[in-house]
Amino acid sequence: MKKLLLLLAILPFIISCNGQERKTVEKSSAKEEIDSFLSNEDCIQYMIEKEKDTIYTIETNKSDDKFGKGIYRNTKMIIPPIYQDIISLGNHYYQLYEFWKNDIQKEKLIRIDPYTDAYIDLPFDFYFGTLSNGLQVFEQKNSALSGLLKNESKIMLPFIYESINQIGNYIFCKKPDYEGVEIYDLYLNKLPDLELVDYDYLSCKHNLIKAFKSENNDKYEAKIGLINLNLQWITECKYYDIKNLNSNDDFFIIIERHKNKKDLLYGIMNKNGDEVIPPKYLYIDQKPTDSLIKIKLKENENYELISLNELLERNKQK
């Protein structure tokens, strides 16, 4: 009787252990199946992590000596290996490129449903990413212009922009041919026009944006100033260019046109927009791999290599 009670007491544990062992065997078997599938000599494995899923992009040798790419999730084929190239564009989005035919290469954008593994053809050429509030940036088919959508269907901003980017709490929408930059908040309320023809994110560390203004919508004749993430002007809009200083990201190289409108003058600005060295040098620059700065003050002088600290000290004394 005691043996029977003991057996009944440990039976659930035995069943549980067997069940756990069965699950482990099944999982191990599935892994072996995947490894076997990917060890095929005609396949080259490209692993792309997609949230909780691992999607394999496979190149498989075809009879005409071409290599076709497809997408597999575990051992399930989602996209057959018939494409010349497949580019991942963020979670679940892919750009598929067909093989060249008659000097024309067709492409299409798809999204793979993470739950059903089904894929959906999207009527756009490109997916650039998702901004705050679920706003998605797509490029319209055959126009190369971008717009904002919600849930891949509802158009929130029309397809009239060369580019759309979020910087901080604002969305910058650049029009083609330097016709202007529209700025929206995250709820797509349009903000007062800053009369910009272009912009560039200069410093992520200090949240500084290069802002281009021009009377005739010409970027190359535009004057440049700095604004912060609150869209407040940090400097006057008067510079020919503002560049990062590679050896110290708290300082920037500023360039102004000389009064003769031909020559350029160089100086140094700090992160607050103060000219610690006014534009008076004929040359200031620094290669990405160099710790020293190359300078030239006067026409009859040779170029000189100097550290930033030495340059700042030298100009304090004058």
Side-chain angles (χ1 to χ4, degrees), residues 263-264 280-282 296-303:
D263 299 324
L264 298 176
K280 61 182 181 180
Y281 282 79
L282 297 181
K296 183 176 183 179
L297 180 59
K298 297 179 181 179
E299 190 64 47
N300 59 351
E301 293 180 349
N302 293 325
Y303 288 97

Side-chain angles (χ1 to χ4, degrees), residues 24-39 75:
T24 304
V25 170
E26 288 175 357
K27 186 175 180 180
S28 176
S29 176
K31 185 180 184 305
E32 290 175 2
E33 187 178 353
I34 294 170
D35 292 342
S36 174
F37 176 79
L38 294 172
S39 65
T75 56

Side-chain angles (χ1 to χ4, degrees), residues 73-316:
R73 178 168 295 163
N74 295 332
T75 56
K76 178 181 178 181
M77 179 189 294
I78 299 174
I79 300 295
I82 59 174
Y83 293 96
Q84 183 175 352
D85 200 6
I86 297 177
I87 298 177
S88 171
L89 300 173
N91 289 332
H92 316 302
Y93 290 90
Y94 293 89
Q95 189 81 27
L96 308 182
Y97 293 90
E98 295 183 2
F99 283 97
W100 286 87
K101 295 177 182 178
N102 301 323
D103 295 327
I104 297 175
Q105 187 180 41
K106 294 182 179 180
E107 60 188 55
K108 66 177 179 178
L109 178 68
I110 67 164
R111 179 177 68 84
I112 298 176
D113 189 298
Y115 303 106
T116 66
D117 292 346
Y119 76 86
I120 304 168
D121 286 310
L122 298 174
F124 311 104
D125 276 340
F126 225 75
Y127 164 76
F128 288 101
T130 300
L131 311 182
S132 295
N133 294 336
L135 298 170
Q136 300 165 303
V137 184
F138 286 96
E139 183 180 286
Q140 193 176 41
K141 213 164 186 61
N142 304 321
S143 75
L145 295 176
S146 297
L148 273 185
L149 273 74
K150 190 95 171 185
N151 300 324
E152 301 165 359
S153 56
K154 184 178 180 181
I155 297 177
M156 308 302 291
L157 285 181
F159 288 84
I160 59 173
Y161 301 103
E162 181 180 312
S163 65
I164 299 176
N165 292 290
Q166 180 178 337
I167 302 179
N169 293 322
Y170 298 100
I171 298 173
F172 287 69
C173 303
K174 178 183 171 183
K175 292 184 176 180
D177 302 320
Y178 305 110
E179 291 180 2
V181 178
E182 295 177 355
I183 304 176
Y184 296 82
D185 66 17
L186 300 182
Y187 301 97
L188 298 184
N189 298 307
K190 191 174 181 180
L191 302 180
D193 191 1
L194 294 180
E195 299 180 350
L196 307 184
V197 295
D198 202 358
Y199 69 95
D200 191 14
Y201 204 2
L202 177 68
S203 171
C204 297
K205 178 180 178 180
H206 301 298
N207 295 319
L208 296 175
I209 304 168
K210 287 169 63 173
F212 297 70
K213 296 185 75 170
S214 173
E215 295 180 357
N216 55 1
N217 291 342
D218 188 341
K219 176 184 176 181
Y220 299 100
E221 293 184 6
K223 293 184 177 180
I224 299 172
L226 293 182
I227 58 177
N228 61 20
L229 291 192
N230 295 320
L231 305 184
Q232 298 169 326
W233 289 97
I234 302 300
T235 70
E236 293 182 58
C237 204
K238 64 176 185 176
Y239 298 102
Y240 174 79
D241 200 3
I242 303 174
K243 302 167 58 177
N244 286 293
L245 191 62
N246 299 310
S247 60
N248 192 319
D249 54 11
D250 290 334
F251 293 87
F252 306 92
I253 299 172
I254 50 176
I255 308 172
E256 272 190 15
R257 281 199 180 277
H258 192 276
K259 292 180 180 179
N260 61 21
K261 296 185 178 181
K262 293 182 180 179
D263 299 324
L264 298 176
L265 298 176
Y266 295 75
I268 300 292
M269 173 191 292
N270 66 17
K271 62 184 180 181
N272 299 317
D274 303 318
E275 292 183 357
V276 292
I277 301 177
K280 61 182 181 180
Y281 282 79
L282 297 181
Y283 189 86
I284 297 179
D285 205 359
Q286 183 180 41
K287 293 181 180 179
T289 56
D290 289 347
S291 59
L292 299 178
I293 302 170
K294 188 175 183 180
I295 65 170
K296 183 176 183 179
L297 180 59
K298 297 179 181 179
E299 190 64 47
N300 59 351
E301 293 180 349
N302 293 325
Y303 288 97
E304 179 184 358
L305 290 175
I306 188 173
S307 71
L308 175 63
N309 288 337
E310 289 177 301
L311 183 60
L312 294 175
E313 286 297 321
R314 180 183 297 181
N315 281 272
K316 278 183 181 179

